[in-house]
Amino acid sequence: MKELGMTPDVDLLKKSKDFWNGYHTEPQGGWTFHDVNGTGKRAAYLRLWKCANDQVRKYASKELSSLGELTEHHPDKMADHLRDADCVLVVLRDPVSHFLSGYNEFDYRKTVEQELDLPGSWSRWRPGSQERFEAFLADLLGGPENIGWKGKYNMWYEIKHVYPMTSALVQMVNAKVDPGNFVAIMLDEVQEFIPKALVDSCGISPHSVAEMPRLGQHPSSSDPLRIYAAAKSVWLKKGKAARALCALVAMDYACYDTYFPLPEVCLQVLGREDLLFLPKDYGRE
């Protein structure tokens, strides 16, 4: 908030306590696959929205379900099934790109699918404008009630699209998963490496794994309203809004620093010692 020149509203931030408590930790569910017709191994997949989740979900339901025992798990119960898995698959992407994509879908849903008259200053700006994204960051940091997190607007589901990717590691830590069982797959390699990881890292029989075709995406993915493009332009300016965004994605860069270097603009705001969240060797080979 300091980066945006804002004075915190203490009462509003107190009301937002539940939101920020779950921002980095709230589980998003997933599935497990038991190779009952092959090696008997078990694979788990932890869902992270805006990380090819629709692609992976449709692949599992259409291709894997007939080859073994596929079970979808509620977010609150997913951790219970991680302990028995021989691997835990997680799809990752650059944290800033992840947040911008989440904002894109959130705003698209608000603008096209729901057309709600939400509180806060952000919704008064034109969809697809840089001013709208800058105001969104200010409203979110000022208190998620500003963007309709709960109450009569009930946007709690949609706003989760901007939640960080840290929840996957939190679930694994809570379930005491062996760090060696963590398999990170980059977003642009999903089609090739999900089937490959099931065989090579999880021990699933090749006969129980099908190739992954290119499957559907949310309509916002093509950025028809230029929402993502406007938000990215704000990020590339490296101004106050970009530095405020650094605070929202800092834990993703800290937890997944093996895969994503911290952007220079964020180094100007955050010290490395401020980013510690999990043991430094967790999830590394």
Side-chain angles (χ1 to χ4, degrees):
M1 295 181 69
K2 181 176 69 174
E3 291 297 331
L4 293 172
M6 298 168 58
T7 300
D9 184 327
V10 177
D11 291 335
L12 191 56
L13 289 176
K14 286 181 179 178
K15 293 179 182 178
S16 307
K17 184 179 178 180
D18 290 343
F19 175 87
W20 294 115
N21 282 346
Y23 182 70
H24 291 100
T25 62
E26 186 168 324
Q28 298 176 17
W31 49 257
T32 52
F33 178 73
H34 185 194
D35 188 11
V36 292
N37 298 316
T39 62
K41 297 287 188 177
R42 298 175 185 267
Y45 162 76
L46 285 175
R47 178 183 299 117
L48 290 174
W49 285 350
K50 308 314 300 175
C51 288
N53 177 60
D54 280 350
Q55 168 89 5
V56 177
R57 176 177 55 82
K58 291 177 180 178
Y59 166 70
S61 62
K62 290 183 178 181
E63 307 294 342
L64 296 183
S65 58
S66 63
L67 300 174
E69 192 175 277
L70 179 72
T71 307
E72 186 81 17
H73 299 291
H74 186 275
D76 293 339
K77 301 295 183 182
M78 187 66 207
D80 297 337
H81 302 277
L82 296 179
R83 300 180 184 91
D84 298 328
D86 295 287
C87 71
V88 179
L89 306 179
V90 179
V91 179
L92 302 173
R93 67 189 295 181
D94 174 76
V96 167
S97 171
H98 179 256
F99 187 96
L100 299 185
S101 181
Y103 164 73
N104 178 29
E105 182 165 340
F106 170 82
D107 199 4
Y108 179 93
R109 287 174 178 266
K110 187 271 175 187
T111 302
V112 175
E113 299 177 359
Q114 296 175 320
E115 299 182 348
L116 298 174
D117 183 19
L118 295 176
S121 64
W122 75 281
S123 61
R124 300 171 193 151
W125 293 96
R126 177 182 59 82
S129 66
Q130 295 182 30
E131 293 87 352
R132 188 175 173 97
F133 180 60
E134 291 172 344
F136 174 84
L137 292 174
D139 284 348
L140 175 59
L141 288 166
E145 281 80 0
N146 288 326
I147 53 175
W149 169 50
K150 62 181 181 180
K152 68 176 182 178
Y153 302 100
N154 198 24
M155 294 286 282
W156 66 271
Y157 174 85
E158 287 79 5
I159 194 58
K160 290 181 182 181
H161 286 81
V162 301
Y163 277 20
M165 300 177 289
T166 47
S167 64
L169 292 185
V170 172
Q171 289 180 83
M172 287 189 284
V173 169
N174 290 340
K176 295 181 172 57
V177 172
D178 184 339
N181 290 344
F182 171 47
V183 182
I185 298 170
M186 299 301 106
L187 178 66
D188 58 355
E189 300 174 335
V190 164
Q191 283 184 259
E192 177 183 359
F193 281 97
I194 285 282
K196 181 177 174 61
L198 286 170
V199 175
D200 295 345
S201 301
C202 307
I204 304 296
S205 168
H207 301 293
S208 300
V209 175
E211 293 184 358
M212 177 184 282
R214 183 170 181 80
L215 300 168
Q217 295 178 312
H218 190 268
S220 65
S221 296
S222 62
D223 200 19
L225 301 182
R226 305 299 292 166
I227 295 170
Y228 184 96
K232 187 173 182 180
S233 294
V234 171
W235 167 250
L236 292 175
K237 288 180 179 178
K238 300 182 180 180
K240 291 182 178 180
R243 293 194 293 271
L245 177 54
C246 289
L248 290 166
V249 299
M251 288 301 183
D252 272 349
Y253 281 112
C255 294
Y256 299 116
D257 63 343
T258 301
Y259 313 102
F260 310 109
L262 189 68
E264 183 179 353
V265 64
C266 295
L267 283 170
Q268 299 171 11
V269 180
L270 306 163
R272 295 302 298 176
E273 294 301 317
D274 297 330
L275 298 181
L276 297 178
F277 183 59
L278 292 173
K280 204 65 173 171
D281 292 333
Y282 192 87
R284 298 185 179 181
E285 296 179 355

